[in-house]
Amino acid sequence: MDIKTVGVVGAGQMGNGIAHVFALAGYEVMLTDISQDALDAGLAVIRKNLDRQVSREKIGAEERDVALGRISTTLTLTDLGQTDLIIEAATERETVKTAIFEDLVPHLKPETILTSNTSSISITRLASRTDRPGKFMGFHFMNPVPVMQLVELIRGIATDKETFDALHGVVETLGKTASTSEDFPAFIVNRILIPMINEAIYTLYEGVGSVSSIDRALKLGANHPMGPLELADFIGLDTCLAIMNVLHDGLADTKYRPCPLLVKYVEAGWLGRKTKRGFYDYSGEEPVPTR
């Protein structure tokens, strides 16, 4: 499978990062979202991140300009149908993802590979709603995409070897490393990471420690680059809750029960950095713990 053109669905935190790394690696990228404002914001982030790479001498100014020239945008989802590879990076809700794939299917080339950047949802189930479960895979990038080296490759029960081999090769062209996961809820990284974050929230909820003491303990005591509550805010508390719910529903084990405090924060709209408030308040110059 010769992959040269890539369609990315969603220009948010993950989608714009995915578009960035593919364009920098030489692929022609078409980026889509539901509003022009979202596309403009996504392109602005890509430019900012490429500029940062230039300032740090990771890439040259000419590389940046060529990469930006490889990215086109559209508000019409079906325009992506003629690309070789499509990566869905929309909201972590199965109904949204399924609707996107159902809209795309009638417009695809026969050889187009469909993938989802889902961090937890069943690849087999998503694939079953398309006309090509053999050419469907989980293609899970880590956040922030331009910085993080890992890509999780998740085969659905029907994914064929040719598709897996093609995507494994794509990961190598991006200069990243692939880790293969079986199709079980939350795969590898989030199966381990998000319950740890949930347990940190329980530790706060039960009064064992404050926000700052919990984060300090894990950074200095376990050598984590970010504390678990700081990381939760970075990921998005709504995303953390969505993944915990997938684990709880999919594995039926009480150890995956979302902490009530996490639920309450999401109900309040305190989703972390993106809303300026979560376990920290981001409205000032420095983040301040909210509890």
Side-chain angles (χ1 to χ4, degrees):
M1 294 183 181
D2 191 14
I3 296 171
K4 294 180 178 177
T5 58
V6 179
V8 180
V9 183
Q13 194 173 45
M14 296 304 297
N16 68 59
I18 292 167
H20 171 149
V21 298
F22 271 93
L24 201 54
Y27 295 89
E28 295 296 321
V29 178
M30 184 176 288
L31 182 62
T32 187
D33 211 306
I34 57 173
S35 74
Q36 190 61 48
D37 286 348
L39 287 174
D40 292 344
L43 282 175
V45 171
I46 293 169
R47 287 192 191 96
K48 176 183 169 186
N49 289 337
L50 285 167
D51 285 342
R52 182 183 291 122
Q53 288 179 303
V54 172
S55 68
R56 293 177 179 174
E57 299 184 349
K58 304 273 189 185
I59 61 172
E62 187 178 349
E63 281 181 276
R64 172 198 61 198
D65 296 341
V66 171
L68 283 170
R70 292 192 183 110
I71 302 172
S72 61
T73 63
T74 179
L75 290 170
T76 306
L77 174 66
T78 53
D79 286 349
L80 272 58
Q82 294 308 298
T83 58
D84 302 322
L85 166 65
I86 293 177
I87 305 166
E88 171 275 313
T91 305
E92 189 69 357
R93 289 208 304 270
E94 187 166 346
T95 52
V96 172
K97 295 179 184 297
T98 298
I100 288 167
F101 290 126
E102 288 179 346
D103 286 346
L104 277 169
V105 160
H107 305 275
L108 300 178
K109 298 190 297 182
E111 64 272 22
T112 297
I113 296 174
L114 284 178
T115 69
S116 176
N117 184 60
T118 179
S119 50
S120 61
I121 297 167
S122 167
I123 298 304
T124 299
R125 198 161 61 237
L126 289 174
S128 72
R129 305 298 294 271
T130 75
D131 66 340
R132 61 196 65 207
K135 293 185 182 300
F136 193 107
M137 270 190 64
F139 207 24
H140 182 215
F141 288 80
M142 305 295 127
N143 185 34
V145 180
V147 175
M148 300 295 278
Q149 288 300 302
L150 185 73
V151 181
E152 280 186 317
L153 296 180
I154 305 101
R155 278 179 286 211
I157 198 168
T159 304
D160 60 41
K161 185 178 185 301
E162 188 181 15
T163 298
F164 175 82
D165 290 345
L167 291 187
H168 201 285
V170 167
V171 173
E172 291 178 353
T173 68
L174 300 177
K176 297 189 182 293
T177 301
S179 176
T180 305
S181 170
E182 295 303 316
D183 185 21
F184 289 97
F187 318 130
I188 295 172
V189 173
N190 284 321
R191 171 77 176 262
I192 297 167
L193 176 64
I194 300 300
M196 185 203 74
I197 288 173
N198 193 54
E199 193 63 28
I201 300 169
Y202 266 115
T203 306
L204 177 66
Y205 176 61
E206 293 168 3
V208 178
S210 65
V211 169
S212 56
S213 63
I214 292 166
D215 277 351
R216 188 183 307 117
L218 268 293
K219 283 194 281 189
L220 301 183
N223 205 27
H224 289 190
M226 295 173 72
L229 302 176
E230 182 186 5
L231 181 56
D233 278 355
F234 180 76
I235 293 168
L237 303 190
D238 52 339
T239 301
C240 292
L241 179 59
I243 296 169
M244 284 308 300
N245 282 328
V246 166
L247 282 164
H248 193 231
D249 294 344
L251 299 172
D253 191 324
T254 56
K255 73 179 180 180
Y256 297 116
R257 183 170 69 97
C259 179
L261 185 61
L262 173 60
V263 176
K264 194 62 66 181
Y265 269 48
V266 173
E267 288 175 343
W270 296 0
L271 308 181
R273 288 193 186 189
K274 60 188 172 186
T275 59
K276 305 292 186 187
R277 189 175 182 90
F279 293 110
Y280 292 84
D281 184 334
Y282 299 91
S283 57
E285 288 188 13
E286 293 289 330
V288 178
T290 53
R291 291 176 78 91

